[in-house]
C-alpha cells in the first residue's frame, strides 16, 4: 500500500480525552475515531489489527472442534423474558421499539438466542456435544464508558456456547475453552493469567477470567508468581483427550490467582511471601459453566439414552476481541508509539523513502515494494513528500515491526537500512541482495 493512496489520519496533538496510553495511541495513529461515548469507527489501520486478532481467535476455536455461526445484533425481548433476564440486565441493555411496537434489544450477549437455536434443532444426546461460537458486535450501555475500546459501549466479542449431555462433558467443554484461550493469548504474544472469577449476570458457579497484567487495568489481582511461568508453547493438544485436557487445566489453575472480587486473604497468605504478588489487570476473556440455568427456563431439553428428557448442560465463553487491541498496545509500546507483535501487525514492514522526488530512490523503493509483495508480505510504502523526521515519527508511532529505510546516500553506496522497531537497531544491508536479506529477516 502506497501511503499517499491510503487513509491514515495521524493526529499531531495528544487527544485530551484519552486517559490511558492505548487510547491515546489508537487515536493518534488513526486506528479509531469516536462517534459517540464508548462507540467507535474502526479506521483502516485499526480494522486490520482487529481482523488479525479475530482470525487467530477463530483458528483456535476451530482447532478445538467448535463451530462458527453468526447471530444478529438485534434480538427479540421475548427470549429474555423466558430466561428471566430482561429485567435483571437493567439499564445496561439498550432497548428499542420496532415500527410494530415490539420491544427489541441490541444484544449484550447471546445465551438466550443460541439456546433458542439449539432447542429448535437439537433434541437428542446423540447430537451432542456441540459448541457454537460467533464473533459479533455487542452493546452494553456502560455507566462509565472509558479508556477507548477497553470499556466501550459497543464492542466486538467472541462468544461461544457449549451444549453437553452431562456435567462431566460440560466441564470438558469448559476445559477445552480454557486451553484454546491460553493458546490464543500466547499466539497474540500476550501473557494472560486465568483467575477464579465471579459469574455476575451470566450466572453459574464455575468461572475463570483471563487477565493481562498492566498498570492501567481495571481489576486488582492477587497471584502466586509461579502462574506467570506457565505456558503451553508449541505442544500439540488433543482436544478429544478429556484427561489430558483436564490435566493441563489443573496445572494452570492450581496456583493461587484471583481478582479482587474472589480474593481470599487467608489463602493468599499461605503462599510463600516471595511468590505473593498483586498488580492491576485487564480482563480479556471469561469462561463460564452454568449448567441448566438457561436450558431449564427456556425448555431446551434433550432425550437421554434411557429415554428421559433433561435440560441440556451449557457453558458460555467470551473473548473481548476489540478490548484486546487496547490490551496489546498497553503491553507493547514505548515513548515513541506502538510496537506491534508480528502476529497482529497491520503491515509486515514499511518502506521509508528518505527523498521523495529523487528518481533513483523512488525506483529502488518501488522495486523493493514489488519484490516484497511478490514474496507474500504486506508492505506500507511511505511515499509522502514529507520531512524525514516526520516520516520516522509517523512510522515509530504506528509501530510496524520492520522499517526499510532507503535514502540517496546509502543508495549511492549500494546499501539500504533495516530498522527493527522494538529495539531501534539499524542494520546496513547491500541493496543487490536487498530483497533476499529482507525476506529472510522478515520471515525470522
Ligand atoms: N456471554 C459471556 C461469555 S460468552 C459474556 O458475555 N462474558 S463477559 O461479560 O465476560 O464478556 C466477555 C469479554 O468481553 C470480557 O472478558 C471482556 O474482555 C469483553 N468485554 C466485556 N465488556 C466489555 C466492554 N464494555 N468493552 C470492551 N470489552 C468488553
Amino acid at each position: 500500500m502506497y501511503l499517499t493512496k491510503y487513509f491514515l489520519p495521524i493526529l499531531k496533538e495528544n487527544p485530551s480525552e484519552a486517559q490511558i496510553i492505548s487510547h491515546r495511541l489508537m487515536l493518534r495513529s488513526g486506528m479509531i475515531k469516536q462517534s459517540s461515548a464508548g462507540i467507535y469507527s474502526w479506521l483502516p489501520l485499526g480494522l486490520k489489527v482487529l481482523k488479525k486478532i479475530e482470525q487467530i481467535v477463530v483458528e483456535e476455536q476451530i482447532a478445538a472442534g467448535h463451530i462458527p455461526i453468526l447471530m444478529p445484533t438485534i434480538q427479540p425481548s421475548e427470549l429474555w423474558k423466558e430466561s428471566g433476564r430482561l429485567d435483571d440486565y437493567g439499564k445496561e441493555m439498550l432497548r428499542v421499539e420496532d415500527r410494530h411496537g415490539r420491544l427489541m434489544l441490541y444484544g449484550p450477549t447471546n445465551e438466550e438466542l443460541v439456546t433458542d437455536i439449539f432447542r429448535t434443532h437439537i433434541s437428542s444426546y446423540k447430537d451432542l456435544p456441540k459448541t457454537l461460537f460467533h464473533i459479533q458486535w455487542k452493546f452494553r450501555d456502560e455507566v462509565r464508558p472509558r479508556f477507548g475500546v477497553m470499556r466501550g459501549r459497543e464492542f466486538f466479542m467472541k462468544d461461544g456456547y457449549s451444549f453437553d449431555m452431562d456435567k462431566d462433558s460440560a466441564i470438558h467443554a469448559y476445559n477445552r475453552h480454557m486451553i484454546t484461550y491460553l493458546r490464543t493469548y500466547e499466539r497474540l504474544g500476550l501473557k494472560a493469567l486465568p483467575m477464579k472469577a465471579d459469574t455476575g449476570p451470566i450466572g453459574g458457579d464455575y468461572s475463570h477470567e483471563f487477565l493481562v497484567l498492566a498498570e492501567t487495568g481495571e481489576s486488582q489481582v492477587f497471584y502466586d508468581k509461579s502462574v506467570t511461568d506457565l505456558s503451553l508453547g508449541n505442544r500439540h493438544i488433543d482436544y478429544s483427550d478429556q484427561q489430558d485436557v483436564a490435566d493441563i487445566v489443573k496445572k494452570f489453575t492450581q496456583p493461587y490467582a484471583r481478582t479482587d472480587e474472589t480474593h481470599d486473604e487467608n489463602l493468599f497468605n499461605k503462599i510463600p511471601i516471595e511468590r505473593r504478588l498483586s498488580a492491576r489487570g485487564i480482563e480479556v476473556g471469561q469462561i463460564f459453566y452454568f449448567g441448566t440455568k438457561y436450558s431449564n427456563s427456556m425448555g431446551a431439553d434433550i432425550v437421554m439414552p434411557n429415554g428421559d428428557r433433561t435440560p441440556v448442560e451449557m457453558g458460555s465463553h467470551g473473548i473481548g476481541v476489540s478490548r484486546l487491541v487496547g490490551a496489546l498496545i498497553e503491553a507493547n509500546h514505548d515513548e515513541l508509539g506502538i510496537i506491534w507483535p508480528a502476529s497482529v501487525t497491520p503491515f509486515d514492514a514499511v518502506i521509508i523513502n528518505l527523498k521523495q522526488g529523487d528518481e533513483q530512490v523512488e525506483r529502488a523503493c518501488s522495486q523493493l515494494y514489488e519484490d516484497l509483495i511478490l514474496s507474500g508480505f504486506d508492505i506500507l510504502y511511505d511515499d509522502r513528500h514529507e520531512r524525514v523526521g516526520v516520516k520516522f515519527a509517523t512510522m515509530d508511532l504506528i509501530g510496524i515491526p520492520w522499517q526499510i529505510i532507503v535514502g540517496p546516500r546509502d543508495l549511492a553506496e549500494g546499501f539500504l537500512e533495516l530498522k527493527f522497531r522494538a529495539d531501534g537497531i539499524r542494520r546496513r544491508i547491500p541493496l543487490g541482495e536487498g530483497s533476499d536479506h529482507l525476506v529472510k529477516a522478515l520471515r525470522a
Side-chain angles (χ1 to χ4, degrees):
M1 175 58 65
Y2 279 48
L3 185 45
T4 51
K5 297 199 173 76
Y6 201 42
F7 179 52
L8 186 70
I10 300 286
L11 301 185
K12 290 202 181 69
E13 304 297 324
N14 256 332
S16 58
E17 74 269 29
Q19 297 162 18
I20 61 170
I21 189 75
S22 56
H23 188 194
R24 212 152 44 226
L25 289 174
M26 286 182 78
L27 290 169
R28 281 197 52 210
S29 61
M31 293 176 68
I32 51 169
K33 180 187 182 307
Q34 181 173 309
S35 79
S36 58
I39 306 180
Y40 294 87
S41 294
W42 289 75
L43 306 182
L45 203 70
L47 182 64
K48 279 189 127 197
V49 177
L50 190 70
K51 289 284 163 191
K52 286 206 168 177
I53 298 173
E54 179 183 18
Q55 183 58 28
I56 291 174
V57 170
V58 169
E59 283 170 15
E60 291 307 322
Q61 291 311 304
I62 288 179
H66 304 162
I67 306 162
I69 58 172
L70 185 59
M71 292 178 270
T73 52
I74 303 290
Q75 304 181 16
S77 59
E78 287 81 4
L79 294 176
W80 289 69
K81 250 184 226 144
E82 279 189 56
S83 75
R85 279 209 298 183
L86 190 59
D87 296 328
D88 289 1
Y89 233 95
K91 288 201 161 162
E92 266 200 17
M93 180 186 278
L94 182 67
R95 295 150 210 254
V96 275
E97 212 179 79
D98 72 9
R99 66 197 301 165
H100 308 293
R102 193 174 171 204
L103 182 62
M104 312 288 283
L105 56 100
Y106 194 128
T109 176
N110 280 56
E111 280 79 4
E112 284 77 359
L113 214 74
V114 80
T115 305
D116 182 50
I117 293 173
F118 181 89
R119 71 181 173 185
T120 307
H121 297 289
I122 297 184
S123 56
S124 165
Y125 77 95
K126 290 182 191 150
D127 294 320
L128 299 180
K130 284 247 169 339
T131 293
L132 306 176
F133 76 94
H134 79 158
I135 303 188
Q136 177 62 288
W137 293 96
K138 302 286 164 6
F139 194 94
R140 294 182 190 169
D141 207 351
E142 302 272 351
V143 194
R144 269 209 306 157
R146 58 188 183 148
F147 301 159
V149 300
M150 292 279 213
R151 183 161 296 281
R153 292 200 294 167
E154 189 183 47
F155 60 98
F156 204 39
M157 178 170 102
K158 172 266 165 184
D159 40 331
Y161 303 89
S162 53
F163 299 92
D164 289 87
M165 64 185 276
D166 54 30
K167 180 167 180 183
D168 192 42
S169 172
I171 296 293
H172 177 52
Y174 182 89
N175 289 343
R176 270 197 324 269
H177 279 91
M178 164 102 49
I179 296 177
T180 59
Y181 281 24
L182 292 170
R183 179 143 270 173
T184 300
Y185 302 129
E186 278 186 24
R187 279 186 64 188
L188 294 172
L190 276 179
K191 185 119 215 133
L193 309 177
M195 304 205 169
K196 191 174 158 60
D198 248 0
T199 51
I202 305 292
D205 52 16
Y206 213 89
S207 179
H208 279 87
E209 288 177 351
F210 296 81
L211 284 109
V212 172
L213 301 179
E215 276 166 31
T216 47
E218 290 189 285
S219 322
Q220 187 69 32
V221 300
F222 303 85
Y223 59 101
D224 180 335
K225 185 175 178 300
S226 66
V227 72
T228 59
D229 299 330
L230 299 170
S231 75
L232 289 172
N234 288 329
R235 64 174 292 178
H236 170 73
I237 311 276
D238 176 359
Y239 284 104
S240 64
D241 186 336
Q242 197 155 333
Q243 191 54 51
D244 193 34
V245 163
D247 289 344
I248 298 171
V249 166
K250 200 166 164 199
K251 207 169 93 191
F252 276 86
T253 52
Q254 227 158 22
Y256 186 92
R258 295 194 182 188
T259 64
D260 40 10
E261 287 167 354
T262 53
H263 180 52
D264 179 332
E265 198 65 26
N266 285 333
L267 281 178
F268 187 56
N269 287 336
K270 289 191 179 131
I271 307 168
I273 193 153
E274 68 279 7
R275 297 211 317 254
R276 227 180 279 162
L277 295 176
S278 178
R280 304 294 294 177
I282 304 166
E283 182 206 316
V284 290
Q286 186 161 7
I287 54 177
F288 304 83
Y289 158 67
F290 46 69
T292 58
K293 179 177 154 88
Y294 299 92
S295 51
N296 215 354
S297 53
M298 294 181 67
D301 292 342
I302 44 160
V303 178
M304 296 294 275
N306 65 4
D308 287 353
R309 292 184 76 84
T310 181
V312 68
E313 288 277 334
M314 288 176 63
S316 76
H317 317 279
I319 291 188
V321 177
S322 49
R323 177 178 286 183
L324 270 168
V325 181
L328 275 159
I329 296 175
E330 290 294 326
N332 299 285
H333 69 268
D334 62 14
E335 66 289 353
L336 302 174
I338 305 168
I339 306 171
W340 289 115
S343 54
V344 296
T345 182
F347 291 96
D348 297 310
V350 57
I351 297 173
I352 305 177
N353 182 334
L354 295 186
K355 196 164 184 203
Q356 205 62 43
D358 179 311
E359 205 181 308
Q360 275 183 347
V361 181
E362 279 183 9
R363 202 172 324 117
C365 287
S366 344
Q367 188 61 52
L368 267 177
Y369 180 84
E370 296 301 327
D371 290 351
L372 291 170
I373 296 279
L374 277 176
S375 303
F377 295 105
D378 194 3
I379 305 292
L380 182 65
Y381 170 21
D382 189 347
D383 61 334
R384 293 173 301 169
H385 283 274
E386 271 290 3
R387 283 184 296 116
V388 169
V390 172
K391 290 195 174 193
F392 284 147
T394 307
M395 293 309 140
D396 283 343
L397 173 67
I398 68 171
I400 310 302
W402 293 99
Q403 299 175 5
I404 301 159
I405 303 163
V406 187
R409 224 173 315 149
D410 276 340
L411 198 60
E413 293 169 15
F415 285 92
L416 52 78
E417 271 192 315
L418 181 62
K419 176 177 143 183
F420 190 49
R421 171 68 181 87
D423 56 18
I425 292 175
R426 293 178 175 209
R427 283 190 282 157
R428 271 189 119 206
I429 291 182
L431 182 69
E433 311 154 31
S435 44
D436 287 348
H437 257 83
L438 290 172
V439 168
K440 262 189 225 136
L442 266 50
R443 291 224 166 100

